[in-house]
Structure formats: C-alpha cells, structure tokens
C-alpha cells in the first residue's frame, strides 16, 4: 500500500502540517522512482538526492564466498513498516529543518535482479544537507524497519540473509547513527 499525502507545494516561510512533506510506502509493485523524484522536486530546493537499492546478482555468504543471486523475496512486519518510515522521515526533518520533502519506499515480495527494493529521495535547498539526510534515512531504515530478505541463487538454493542487525526502534537507530558521525570524518 502506498500512502498518499497532500501534494501542495509550500514556501519555506509558510508553516505546514507535519506529514505534507513526507511520502512513504510499502509496495508489492515496482518502487515508484520517477514519481518520487518528481514529488520531492519543489521550487525552493536546489538539490534532490536519490538512493535506490537494487537487487544485485551476487552476494557474499557467511563464509565470505561469492554466491550467484537470481532474485530476493522481501517479507515485512507490514503494520510497522510505514509508521517507521514516516518516523525516519520526520527525524530527518528534525535534524535538517531546511529539508524540502522526503520520500521513503520499500518493496516486498519477489524482486528480480536489477530491480529496486528500497528508495530514499530527499530534497533540500543545498546538496550538503540533502546528501547527509539521504544517508541518514537509508542507514536508519536498514536497522529499524522490520523487512527481511530471502535470497534465491542460480543453483536452486535459497536462504534468509543473516544481517547481524537487530531491529531497533527508530529513535535508538537514529541515536546510534549520530554517534558514528564525527565532524572530522565527514562520514
């Protein structure tokens, strides 16, 4: 299901209801890349940063061996995904108040190689906060949104991917992200 929000464009000096600058979704269809980019593009933002996570044709197994992948099935704890995506987008706005719009989507079900499974699109007046906010969104999403993946290999084998990540609440994941960032590292 893809959530719809008010599509009005706001001016930076105009107050707006929280949520009008956020679009999130969990979908069994293709991730709406072009639509999300179009939606976050607003007149007062000179930067749009997009991260699209694609299913690739190989992965390292737990022993460090490269394995061939033909697709991934994503499963989610559905009722928690969209609220957490929305919470991540709001946390990004809290950290970078100048942000324009934030769109976060995740796909579930079977996803073949070269198709998108996750999407983060952020607009901001300048590139620095757009890049940093997009990085924040994907990093926190990966540790706080309950989505799991089962890889299918060309030899008929399949298995759940052991990420080693505990699913945290968004606040804890965002705090841990803040701790890993240092002004000197530029990370």
């Amino acid at each position: 299901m893809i959530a719809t929000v008010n599509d009005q464009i706001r001016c930076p000096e105009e107050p707006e209801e929280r949520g009008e600058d956020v679009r999130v979704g969990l979908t069994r269809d293709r991730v709406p890349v072009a639509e999300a980019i179009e939606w976050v593009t607003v007149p007062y933002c000179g930067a749009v940063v997009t991260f699209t996570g694609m299913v690739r044709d190989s992965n390292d197994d737990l022993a460090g061996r490269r394995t061939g992948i033909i697709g991934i099935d994503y499963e989610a704890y559905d009722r928690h995904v969209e609220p957490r995506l929305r919470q991540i987008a709001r946390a990004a706005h809290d950290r970078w108040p100048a942000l324009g719009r934030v769109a976060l989507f995740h796909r579930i079900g079977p996803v073949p190689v070269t198709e998108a499974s996750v999407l983060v699109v952020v607009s901001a007046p300048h590139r620095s906060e757009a890049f940093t906010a997009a990085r924040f969104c994907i990093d926190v999403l990966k540790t706080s949104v309950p989505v799991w993946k089962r890889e299918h290999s060309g030899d008929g084998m399949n298995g759940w991917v052991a990420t080693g990540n505990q699913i945290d609440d968004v606040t804890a994941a965002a705090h841990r992200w803040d701790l890993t960032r240092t002004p000197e590292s530029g990370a």
Side-chain angles (χ1 to χ4, degrees):
M1 179 180 100
I2 295 176
T4 30
V5 295
N6 184 342
D7 281 337
Q8 291 180 341
I9 295 173
R10 71 172 168 92
C11 295
E13 58 276 354
E14 291 178 13
E16 90 173 359
E17 292 290 322
R18 186 58 105 175
E20 293 179 1
D21 53 1
V22 170
R23 182 170 285 177
V24 302
L26 179 65
T27 181
R28 289 192 177 278
D29 299 321
R30 287 182 179 236
V31 175
V33 178
E35 295 88 344
I37 293 169
E38 182 179 345
W39 181 78
V40 303
T41 302
V42 292
Y44 57 91
C45 290
V48 173
V49 171
T50 304
F51 172 82
T52 309
M54 311 296 286
V55 174
R56 64 182 177 270
D57 68 357
S58 61
N59 197 13
D60 293 335
D61 66 14
L62 293 176
R65 294 179 302 257
R66 179 86 43 204
T67 59
I69 303 298
I70 59 171
I72 296 178
D73 285 331
Y74 288 88
E75 290 190 17
Y77 191 15
D78 296 14
R79 68 184 181 132
H80 288 277
V81 173
E82 287 187 4
R84 287 189 181 206
L85 292 174
R86 190 170 308 286
Q87 193 177 0
I88 292 165
R90 288 182 179 147
H93 274 282
D94 290 345
R95 282 170 173 71
W96 299 279
L99 291 183
R101 291 180 169 175
V102 177
L104 305 175
F105 291 88
H106 209 298
R107 187 167 169 183
I108 56 173
V111 182
V113 170
T114 72
E115 287 193 17
S117 59
V118 66
L119 176 67
V120 173
V121 188
V122 176
S123 63
H126 304 284
R127 70 180 178 272
S128 179
E129 59 261 346
F131 274 110
T132 305
R135 177 71 183 257
F136 168 84
C137 288
I138 190 60
D139 288 352
V140 173
L141 184 156
K142 295 289 280 182
T143 60
S144 68
V145 177
V147 175
W148 300 275
K149 57 186 179 179
R150 182 181 197 103
E151 292 181 336
H152 299 280
S153 66
D155 61 6
M157 301 295 292
N158 64 66
W160 293 104
V161 175
T163 63
N165 290 338
Q166 174 183 344
I167 301 297
D168 267 330
D169 66 44
V170 172
T171 303
H175 178 70
R176 195 169 36 264
W177 187 88
D178 288 336
L179 294 175
T180 64
R181 312 290 290 174
T182 60
E184 302 80 37
S185 74

